[in-house]
């Protein structure tokens, strides 16, 4: 297999350099070699998008529907293949990879339908004889920058609405996971899109990402990634008055009350904290547990973790795959040392594991006897590491849950309708789960958080229109 090229102006083009895509489950397995664009490549992609913009933003709803439906149908038909590719390059288990590919297909198909449902308003003017129309129009050219932890779903939930609302796209995937992004681009290349309406530029964030942020022709940038990078994205874009949408970190609480069903609580916590190797911005990293159930809960979670199989993402029966790369594994190990240095008790796990193939395997870790002031409870670790915080009652649990710079997702396990209702209303998070994992959301409703987790309009569902369109008010005197 040769170098997988960038897609610019309807053509496959070489990059300035190329980079191997390594399987974190098996470091001897090269998934593929992918082109790396430079700033000149981004300029070429933006120029192609400018050439396509007038035609695509005047396209009919049926044209947009046809393109997105084509993409959704093909991803769905190839979900096993694409899920396997995802598992190889990112380290999710094969069932998780197939599930994510399925979700990407559903997202494209949802926004195919949304292309047919773009609405406006006609209202009466306060002036006699004047008509007023309020319509939504494309922003123009959208820069899309995605992370490595959801290499097909997050690109889908940004690319699909951008195209559905008539925008042209310049797309930079995470450097670690170009395979799924390239697969989406290849499908889009056969979808009937006009040349230049969609462009793929793979490469380093410091090169390709910066070129996207600083190009005046890009009217909006949607970014998912770290808080520090998000702050830079916001500062750069707002300085030139470009729209910006940020989804960043999380330090999500899962509250477990004395009246919770223990099996439900353990299932929700283990899923939310450790599945997908804990590499989810919605992961349950802070487990806020009341005194009456604390010891039983901790014992049950430890026993459940012991049953989880950590192995090659493609091996049947694997529950948790590897950490994505050496850098992320080093970060996880550093926080394990920090937690113990702060006085937290490592109740289970935290060991680097050896398997039949060399990879980045880490045993899921559970800290107990922690306080909310510890770094392990303030900073996002982004790995299979969770901390238990013991609290007296519901009121203290709510206060601890809200005591964070983040506000993406929050959960509560309880059989009390009173406490569930109060928590939904008073949790300072953009998404709240009751007796469900904090990770795992539907594709047709808004996604996003508060405080340091999100900035700008929501993603997904019909709320995506707030970011990918601009509102025009037109007055007519017949």
């Amino acid at each position: 297999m040769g170098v997988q090229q960038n897609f610019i102006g309807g053509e496959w083009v070489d990059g300035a350099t190329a980079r191997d895509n390594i399987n974190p489950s098996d470091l001897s397995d090269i998934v593929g070699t992918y082109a790396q664009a430079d700033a000149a490549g981004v300029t070429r992609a933006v120029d192609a998008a400018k050439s396509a913009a007038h035609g695509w933003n005047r396209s009919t709803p049926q044209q947009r529907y046809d393109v997105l439906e084509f993409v959704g149908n093909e991803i769905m038909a190839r979900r096993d293949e694409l899920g396997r590719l995802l598992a190889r390059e990112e380290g999710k288990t094969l069932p998780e990879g197939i599930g994510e590919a399925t979700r990407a297909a559903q997202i494209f198909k949802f926004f195919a339908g949304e292309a047919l449902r773009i609405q406006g308003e006609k209202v009466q003017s306060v002036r006699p004889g004047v008509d007023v129309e309020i319509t939504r129009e494309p922003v123009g050219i959208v820069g899309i920058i995605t992370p490595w932890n959801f290499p097909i779903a997050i690109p889908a939930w940004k690319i699909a609405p951008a195209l559905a609302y008539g925008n042209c796209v310049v797309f930079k995937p995470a450097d670690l996971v170009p395979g799924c992004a390239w697969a989406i681009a290849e499908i889009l290349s056969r979808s009937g899109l006009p040349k230049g309406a969609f462009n793929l530029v793979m490469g380093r964030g410091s090169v390709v990402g910066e070129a996207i942020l600083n190009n005046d022709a890009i009217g909006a940038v949607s970014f998912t990634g770290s808080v520090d990078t998000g702050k830079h994205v916001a500062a750069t874009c707002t300085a030139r008055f470009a729209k910006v949408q940020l989804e960043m970190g999380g330090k999500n609480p899962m509250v477990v009350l004395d009246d919770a069903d223990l099996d439900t609580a353990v299932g929700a916590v283990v899923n939310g904290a450790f599945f997908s190797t804990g590499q989810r911005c919605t992961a349950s990293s802070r487990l806020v547990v009341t005194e009456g159930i604390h010891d039983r809960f901790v014992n049950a979670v430890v026993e459940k973790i012991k049953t989880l199989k950590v192995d090659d993402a493609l091996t049947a029966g694997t529950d948790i795959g590897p950490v994505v790369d050496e850098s992320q594994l080093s970060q996880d190990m550093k926080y394990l040392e920090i937690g113990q240095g702060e006085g937290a008790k490592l109740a289970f796990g935290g060991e680097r594991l050896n398997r039949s193939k060399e990879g980045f395997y880490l045993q899921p870790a559970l800290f107990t006897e922690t306080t909310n002031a510890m770094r392990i409870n303030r900073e996002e670790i982004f790995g299979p590491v969770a901390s238990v915080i013991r609290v007296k009652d519901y009121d203290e649990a709510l206060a601890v849950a809200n005591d964070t710079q983040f506000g993406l997702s929050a959960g509560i396990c309880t059989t009390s309708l009173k406490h569930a209702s109060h928590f939904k209303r008073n949790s300072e998070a953009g998404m709240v789960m009751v007796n469900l994992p904090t990770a795992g959301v539907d594709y047709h409703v808004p996604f996003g958080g508060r405080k340091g987790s999100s900035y700008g309009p929501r993603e997904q569902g019909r709320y995506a229109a707030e970011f990918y369109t601009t509102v025009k008010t037109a007055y007519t005197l017949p």
Side-chain angles (χ1 to χ4, degrees):
M1 182 186 296
V3 176
Q4 306 285 21
Q5 298 168 301
N6 290 303
F7 186 65
I8 299 174
E11 299 177 355
W12 295 101
V13 299
D14 292 329
T17 58
R19 185 180 191 274
D20 288 341
N21 184 6
I22 306 298
N23 181 349
S25 293
D26 178 4
L27 304 189
S28 68
D29 176 28
I30 298 176
V31 179
T33 303
Y34 293 82
Q36 299 267 286
D38 56 13
V42 174
T43 299
R44 181 176 173 182
V46 173
D47 289 343
K50 286 195 289 188
S51 296
H54 183 75
W56 182 242
N57 69 25
R58 299 296 194 275
S59 59
T60 68
Q62 187 64 52
Q63 288 174 293
R64 299 177 197 176
Y65 172 90
D66 289 344
V67 165
L68 297 173
E69 183 73 359
F70 174 91
V71 175
N73 285 341
E74 180 156 335
I75 293 175
M76 189 67 78
R78 296 171 55 192
R79 59 184 173 174
D80 289 353
E81 169 202 345
L82 294 173
R84 185 177 183 85
L85 169 63
L86 193 160
R88 282 180 72 200
E89 74 169 353
E90 195 272 343
K92 277 190 175 76
T93 65
L94 182 57
E96 287 176 319
I98 293 171
E100 185 178 329
T102 301
R103 179 175 173 183
Q106 292 167 331
I107 290 166
F108 271 100
K109 291 171 73 68
F110 173 83
F111 281 107
E114 285 298 279
L116 300 173
R117 293 189 286 267
I118 299 174
Q119 298 177 347
E121 299 176 70
K122 185 171 182 179
V123 300
Q124 287 186 324
S125 171
V126 296
R127 292 170 288 175
V130 175
D131 290 333
V132 183
E133 294 177 335
I134 304 167
T135 55
R136 288 193 174 273
E137 296 186 353
V139 172
I141 301 173
V142 178
I144 290 174
I145 302 173
T146 59
W148 51 259
N149 61 327
F150 284 88
I152 195 166
I154 292 180
W157 84 46
K158 295 180 188 292
I159 294 167
L163 295 176
Y165 295 114
N167 299 286
C168 293
V169 169
V170 177
F171 168 45
K172 191 208 94 66
D175 202 28
L176 273 177
V177 288
C180 288
W182 190 91
I184 292 175
E186 195 281 327
I187 296 171
L188 278 163
S189 74
R190 297 181 281 102
S191 67
L193 268 179
K195 293 181 179 180
F198 171 85
N199 304 273
L200 170 70
V201 281
M202 299 176 287
R204 300 292 296 173
S206 58
V207 177
V208 176
E210 281 300 307
I212 289 173
L213 300 184
N214 287 286
N215 194 300
D216 288 339
I218 293 179
V221 173
S222 181
F223 166 84
T224 299
S226 70
V227 174
D228 287 343
T229 304
K231 289 178 179 178
H232 173 67
V233 171
T236 306
C237 291
T238 55
R240 61 180 184 83
F241 301 116
K243 278 182 100 170
V244 63
Q245 177 185 62
L246 306 178
E247 290 296 343
M248 298 171 287
K251 198 65 185 173
N252 308 293
M254 171 60 86
V255 171
V256 180
L257 299 184
D258 288 351
D259 63 12
D261 179 87
L262 186 61
D263 289 342
T264 298
V266 171
V269 162
V270 171
N271 180 304
F274 304 117
F275 282 22
S276 297
T277 323
Q279 296 174 154
R280 299 184 282 194
C281 55
T282 52
S284 314
S285 52
R286 293 186 299 138
L287 312 178
V288 185
V289 186
T290 49
E291 290 177 332
I293 199 172
H294 177 277
D295 293 351
R296 288 185 295 128
F297 172 79
V298 168
N299 291 335
V301 170
V302 169
E303 290 306 310
K304 182 63 176 179
I305 299 173
K306 288 178 180 178
T307 70
L308 300 178
K309 180 180 179 182
V310 181
D311 207 338
D312 189 319
L314 297 178
T315 298
T318 294
D319 296 300
I320 298 175
V323 175
V324 71
D325 71 350
E326 183 72 50
S327 174
Q328 186 62 47
L329 179 60
S330 295
Q331 177 171 303
D332 295 345
M333 299 300 290
K334 180 191 76 172
Y335 275 106
L336 289 167
E337 293 179 3
I338 289 170
Q340 292 176 87
E342 291 179 307
K345 176 185 176 183
L346 188 56
F348 182 80
E351 296 182 12
R352 180 159 186 183
L353 302 174
N354 294 316
R355 293 296 179 256
S356 59
K357 300 169 185 174
E358 185 182 3
F360 304 116
Y361 297 105
L362 179 64
Q363 189 178 38
L366 183 71
F367 280 115
T368 58
E369 307 307 321
T370 78
T371 71
N372 204 46
M374 292 179 176
R375 284 183 63 189
I376 55 172
N377 287 324
R378 308 305 294 180
E379 301 171 13
E380 187 175 36
I381 299 172
F382 219 67
V385 182
S387 303
V388 179
I389 304 169
R390 188 196 301 257
V391 295
K392 181 177 63 175
D393 54 20
Y394 169 76
D395 289 338
E396 186 181 358
L398 177 64
V400 169
N402 286 337
D403 180 16
T404 173
Q405 66 169 318
F406 299 105
L408 183 56
S409 183
I412 186 169
C413 290
T414 180
T415 55
S416 164
L417 179 60
K418 172 186 172 182
H419 286 139
S421 298
H422 189 272
F423 189 80
K424 285 189 290 184
R425 177 64 183 85
N426 291 280
S427 171
E428 294 172 2
M431 298 178 291
V432 179
M433 315 295 185
V434 178
N435 295 322
L436 290 166
T438 57
V441 295
D442 292 351
Y443 60 87
H444 68 303
V445 294
F447 178 97
R450 297 165 60 173
K451 298 190 275 191
S453 290
S454 300
Y455 179 83
R458 288 289 189 258
E459 297 197 276
Q460 298 203 70
R462 61 181 51 193
Y463 282 76
E466 296 298 325
F467 178 72
Y468 292 100
T469 64
T470 186
V471 174
K472 176 180 283 184
T473 306
Y475 297 86
T476 304
L477 178 63

